[in-house]
Amino acid sequence: LYGDYDIVSDNDFIDFHTVVKSPSIIRRYFRPQVNFSFDGYFPFKPLPYTQASAMFEWGLNWCIANDAVIGSVVNNTAKGAIGHVRPPTESVNLASVPAMPAKLIFPKFLDGSKTILATLSKSRALLKLVENCFNYNILGVNGFNCVSDLVNDSDCFNFEYSSLNETLLLLTDLSD
């Protein structure tokens, strides 16, 4: 459909691992549906099977339009399923410039949840941070001082989300 448009040069390499398929065996035969996935991530709710072509186009457009590159998802960790987001080029270029902490945010993905940012007390933030540090006990006093300084220098929040787009907007607003 887009063959006549000059969008990229012949030397550009673009790779998306997408799948459009039935969300379950039952949905292949009873009220058939399809779902779109991108590297194992399902950004949309299933649609009727008759809308499979549209689902593919919308999903591909979503892949192209989105500034976030998420690596492989690792399932069944102590923290649930996790994935890492590639930093923007500008962040990599500024890696040697010191940055002072301002916000300490404990994110939690909950499928279908509203985007909720809630203030967290510094004492609770300290405990949560210690629980999430895999080498805290090895560092002893230095580890405690580092964690304490981070908490003292930061506004602390619990954060629940299901929409990456809403998350990006909220965190952008929060950084101003």
Side-chain angles (χ1 to χ4, degrees), residues 96-123:
S96 63
V97 177
M100 298 306 297
K103 310 282 190 276
L104 181 58
I105 301 172
F106 295 91
K108 184 172 185 177
F109 176 85
L110 294 172
D111 192 30
S113 76
K114 294 181 179 179
T115 302
I116 302 171
L117 183 71
T119 302
L120 183 64
S121 71
K122 292 200 182 277
S123 59

Side-chain angles (χ1 to χ4, degrees), residues 102-103 105 117 155 157 168-176:
K103 310 282 190 276
I105 301 172
L117 183 71
D155 296 326
F157 301 94
L168 292 173
L169 289 173
L170 184 134
L171 294 180
T172 300
D173 288 346
L174 195 60
S175 67
D176 292 338

